[in-house]
Amino acid sequence: MQIYDLCLAWNWEYDADFLGLLDSACAARGLTMLNASARNLAEILARLAGRDAGFRVFLDRASEANPAYLPLVEFARGLGARRINPRELADRAYDKASMHLAFLEADIPAPPTIILPAWNDQPDLPAPDLTPLGGSFAVKPALGGGGEGVVTEVTSIEQALVERRQFPEQQYLLQAHVTPQLLDGLPAWFRIIYCLGEIHPCYWNVKNHIYTPLTAEAEIRLGLARLRQVTERIAHICCLDLFSTEIALIEAGNYFVVDYVNDPIDLRLQSHALDGVPDFIVEDIAARIADVATKNSDGF
């Protein structure tokens, strides 16, 4: 049986740069990597079923979008591999309604929010009091990703109830808009990437999705240590190794977590895509995952 130190499951063409960085990080540490793409997935599953191959660490960036990878997820579980972002934890974190309630319980600040039951469960609803949401608010399906199904300028419950029928099996969140204050001439809206204990805070432009890294000097000067503290608490709640979250700082120094837990995260390089992740962050992620594989390379 050939035992690989790391298996990466991927099916998005834009992950190719990340794949290259991870492959190089593994090679630099003398590790072997099994590259599970759509092209060779059937072959890999056959090898695993025949006990011709195995792996010690598993990173899944495919099964959420393509159920053909789910047998590979089950092989990883059966092999006892160290799973980065296990599927069952990722599924829980993907549910915005579940995360919102968990955040409230942990006293993590989120914008004023009303959770509506799924239309399939309760098609007729009494009109909720929308006063806490202000004049307009966003409507989000609980299981939406990449902005799918999100409507940002809703002004009435009638509009919200219409949107609720787009995904009738899902709960919906009605969420107040958050206006960040300005810091160093930039809106204080941050996308923060967490990877295996390391935290990378960046300003994030909600209009063009461009990252601007928050320097260590600015983080200290502007008193933004709470960004890391809140992110660490989110990591403790969702129990994921790699994710992003969005936190806004509004007037009077109040923080709101405005987008709870994102997984899998977009790892395109900023050097190749204007709205990609700064290269040094993706390089650090690849190195940290390779380090996990190194620590797990002695046993199987």
Side-chain angles (χ1 to χ4, degrees), residues 6 19 57 84-85 87 94 116 118 128 131 144 146 171 187 192 197 199 202 204 209 228 244 264 269 271 284:
L6 172 67
L19 169 66
V57 176
I84 297 172
N85 287 13
R87 181 75 266 146
Y94 189 60
L116 301 182
T131 304
Q171 293 177 289
I192 302 164
I199 294 172
C202 297
W204 197 66
H209 298 174
R228 293 180 182 272
S244 70
L269 298 177
S271 59
D284 182 70

Side-chain angles (χ1 to χ4, degrees), residues 69-90:
Y69 284 83
L70 290 175
L72 186 57
V73 172
E74 291 307 310
F75 273 116
R77 193 196 313 267
L79 289 167
R82 164 68 163 90
R83 294 178 296 146
I84 297 172
N85 287 13
R87 181 75 266 146
E88 64 273 15
L89 295 180

Side-chain angles (χ1 to χ4, degrees), residues 34-45:
L34 180 59
N35 168 9
S37 67
R39 180 182 301 178
N40 64 357
L41 178 61
E43 175 189 345
I44 288 173
L45 292 175

